[in-house]
Amino acid sequence: MKLSLSKKLSLGFLLTAIVSIFIAVLISNYMIDEKFNNYLIDEHKNKVEKIATIIDGLYNEKTGFSSSNKDEILRYANAEELYIEVKDATGDVALTSGNSNLQNQTMMGSMMGTMMNNFSSIKPGQYTEDSYPLSKNNKKIGTIVFGYYGTSFLNAGSLTFKMTLNHSFFISGVIALIFGLIVSIFLSKQLSSPLTKITDTANRIRNGDLEARSHVTSKTKEIDDLKASINYLAETLQKQELLRKRLTSDMAHELRTPLTNLKTHIEALLDKVWEPTEKILTSFYEEIERLIKLVEGLNNIAKLEQTNLNLNKSRFNLSLELEEIITSFQPQYSNSALKIYSNLVPNVEVLMDKDKLKQVMYNLLSNSLKYSRGGGEVTLYLKSEVNNITVELKDNGIGISEKDLPFIFERFYRSDESRDKNTGGTGIGLTIVKAIIEAHKGTINVKSKLGEGSTFILVFPKSIIKPDE
Ligand code: ADP
C-alpha cells in the first residue's frame, strides 16, 4: 500500500515521539530508582546503626536490660518496622522484639519488589537479617540482630514521590505527542503541498501543455531544485518541439525547391518549349547534385552523431595545417573580393582526426565566404592557452540575429537572411561542425551581431588533443 508523503511523515514523527518518550521514561525511572534506592539504603543503615549504638548504651553487662530500656527498644522496633534481637556473649537471647510489627509488610514488600528495579544488596520484599556487634568500651560482648523486609524502609512518602514522577512523565508524554503531531502535520503540509503542485505542472506538460511552468515558492532547497528541473525540462521540450516543426518544414522546403525546378524544366522539355541544350542539362545536373549533397549531409550527421564516433586520430602540426587550408581558400576569397588573414601561434602539435578537422574548417570558411559582403575581411586565429587550444574565425559579414543564434547548429536551420541570399546552403554545415568538435571533447560558440559580423570560437582541451611528448 502506498502512503502519501504527509501520512508517512506524520507517522514517522509520531513513532519517533513515542519511542523517545518511552526511552526517556525508562532511563529516568532507572536513574531515579537507583539514586533513590541508594539514598534509602543509606538512610536505613544510618538508622539501624544509630539504634545499635543506643542499644549498646542501654545494655548492662551484668543486669542486661531494665524493663524500661526494653520498652524503649521495642518502641524503636515498632516505629522503624524492625525485628530486633540482642544476644549476650554466651549466645543467650537477652531481648527480642518478636515479629508482629513485620507481618503486614509481606504483601506490600513483594508488590514493590516487582515495581522497583533494585540493584542494591537489599532486595525489596525479601526478609533480611543484619548482625551488629553488641559492644561496650570497644569490646564485643554480644550480637544485635536486625531483621526487616526489603521495602520496610520504602515509606509512603517516597512511593508517592515516584508515583508523581511517573504521572508527570505520562502527562508530558501526552503533551509532547500532541505537539509532535501538530508540528508533523504542519511540516508535512509544507513539504507535500508544493510537491503536489509541481506534480500537477509535470502532468500538464506530459499531456502536451508545453507552456506550463511551475511557480511554486518553497523554502526547501530540494523542492526549489525540482521546480527548476521541471521548468528546464519544459523549456527544452518546447524548444525541441519548435525545432521539430521547423525541421519538417525546412526539410520539405530544401527538397521541394530542386524537385520543383526539375519538374517544371522537364515539363518544358516534354512540351517542346525548351530544347535539351547543354545549359539546361547542366542546370538539371546541378539540382540533382544539390539533392545528393543534402542526402549525403544527412547521412553524415547521422554517422557523426553516433555515440561512439570513430576518430582516426593522428599527430600533426595544427598551425601548419590551418595555414595550408587558408592558402587553398585564398583564390575563392579573392574572387569574391574578400580578404582573408591568419594570426596563428606557430608549432601547435595536436592529436586529432585531420580529415574531420579539415571538414570543420572547410564548412566554417565556406560560411564566412557565403555570408560576407564585398570588401569584407575574415581572420583566423590560433591560440595556445594553459589548458586549451582555441581556434577563432572572425568575419565582418551579414551577422546572425539574436533570434536565430541559439538554433544555427540545428540541422536544416537557416536564417531568413541566408535564405534570401540564395547561397545554396542546406543548413547542415554547422550541425556537422558541432558533432565533429564534440567528438574531440571540444566546444563551439558563436558571437554575432546582425549586420556587423560573426566570430566562431572553437575550444579544445589540451588534455584531450595534446599528443604525449
Ligand atoms: P548553410 O548550409 O545554410 O550555410 P550552416 O549549418 O552552415 O548551413 O549554417 C546555418 C546558418 O547559420 C546559415 O544558414 C546562416 O544563417 C548562419 N551562419 C552560419 N555561418 C554564418 C556566418 N559566418 N555569418 C552569418 N551567418 C552565418
Side-chain angles (χ1 to χ4, degrees), residues 243-284:
L243 275 175
R244 193 179 59 78
K245 283 184 185 150
R246 186 156 177 160
L247 175 72
T248 323
S249 72
D250 284 0
M251 206 158 128
H253 179 85
E254 292 303 327
L255 291 171
R256 198 175 48 228
T257 319
L259 287 173
T260 321
N261 280 349
L262 278 174
K263 188 179 162 212
T264 43
H265 291 177
I266 290 172
E267 269 171 6
L269 282 183
L270 287 173
D271 295 346
K272 306 267 186 313
V273 181
W274 281 355
E275 289 293 309
T277 59
E278 195 183 332
K279 196 176 157 225
I280 286 176
L281 289 177
T282 309
S283 88
F284 285 9

Side-chain angles (χ1 to χ4, degrees), residues 50 96 100 121 213 348 351 357 361 367 371 389 396 436:
K50 234 189 240 164
T96 172
S100 62
S121 56
R213 296 289 181 276
V348 176
L351 182 70
L357 176 86
M361 294 318 299
N367 278 353
Y371 303 115
I389 289 172
N396 56 0
I436 294 177

Side-chain angles (χ1 to χ4, degrees), residues 21-259:
I21 289 161
F22 187 67
I23 292 173
V25 167
L26 273 188
I27 292 179
S28 31
N29 260 288
Y30 165 69
M31 297 299 274
I32 287 165
D33 274 355
E34 202 179 20
K35 286 263 179 273
F36 204 57
N37 270 358
N38 287 343
Y39 164 76
L40 291 174
I41 288 161
D42 284 350
E43 280 286 281
H44 172 75
K45 278 196 174 139
N46 283 342
K47 213 159 49 192
V48 169
E49 271 164 19
K50 234 189 240 164
I51 299 172
T53 319
I54 293 170
I55 294 174
D56 282 350
L58 296 175
Y59 186 68
N60 184 308
E61 238 178 306
K62 291 194 182 100
T63 55
F65 294 106
S66 68
S67 66
S68 66
N69 286 349
K70 268 186 191 168
D71 284 349
E72 190 178 344
I73 292 168
L74 289 180
R75 266 203 307 279
Y76 278 121
N78 232 343
E80 303 299 343
E81 295 167 359
L82 290 169
Y83 166 71
I84 301 177
E85 185 183 276
V86 183
K87 291 179 190 164
D88 63 13
T90 56
D92 290 338
V93 176
L95 175 141
T96 172
S97 64
N99 56 7
S100 62
N101 48 345
L102 293 172
Q103 303 260 302
N104 53 0
Q105 293 300 318
T106 329
M107 268 275 289
M108 189 165 158
S110 58
M111 233 170 72
M112 289 312 297
T114 41
M115 253 177 81
M116 272 188 69
N117 194 0
N118 195 337
F119 288 87
S120 73
S121 56
I122 300 169
K123 298 271 181 293
Q126 202 176 317
Y127 180 73
T128 317
E129 280 189 353
D130 286 341
S131 296
Y132 285 79
L134 176 69
S135 49
K136 269 269 179 255
N137 306 324
N138 289 332
K139 215 178 92 201
K140 187 177 175 214
I141 51 166
T143 318
I144 313 172
V145 176
F146 291 102
Y148 52 88
Y149 280 96
T151 51
S152 60
F153 52 86
L154 191 66
N155 58 37
S158 59
L159 245 176
T160 320
F161 176 69
K162 272 195 58 157
M163 292 288 202
T164 319
L165 202 78
N166 279 331
H167 197 74
S168 42
F169 268 131
F170 178 74
I171 293 174
S172 42
V174 172
I175 294 173
L177 269 183
I178 295 170
F179 184 68
L181 198 67
I182 294 170
V183 170
S184 68
I185 289 171
F186 174 73
L187 273 183
S188 55
K189 275 257 159 353
Q190 255 202 349
L191 280 182
S192 64
S193 107
L195 281 179
T196 316
K197 283 188 194 148
I198 294 176
T199 312
D200 286 348
T201 313
N203 282 337
R204 275 174 60 202
I205 296 168
R206 193 182 68 176
N207 294 331
D209 179 4
L210 300 181
E211 298 273 313
R213 296 289 181 276
S214 174
H215 302 288
V216 162
T217 45
S218 155
K219 287 192 183 101
T220 316
K221 187 181 169 297
E222 283 79 1
I223 291 178
D224 260 7
D225 288 351
L226 181 67
K227 178 183 88 174
S229 299
I230 289 282
N231 286 347
Y232 179 76
L233 206 70
E235 233 148 72
T236 317
L237 277 175
Q238 204 178 13
K239 199 173 135 193
Q240 287 301 322
E241 179 70 8
L242 204 85
L243 275 175
R244 193 179 59 78
K245 283 184 185 150
R246 186 156 177 160
L247 175 72
T248 323
S249 72
D250 284 0
M251 206 158 128
H253 179 85
E254 292 303 327
L255 291 171
R256 198 175 48 228
T257 319
L259 287 173

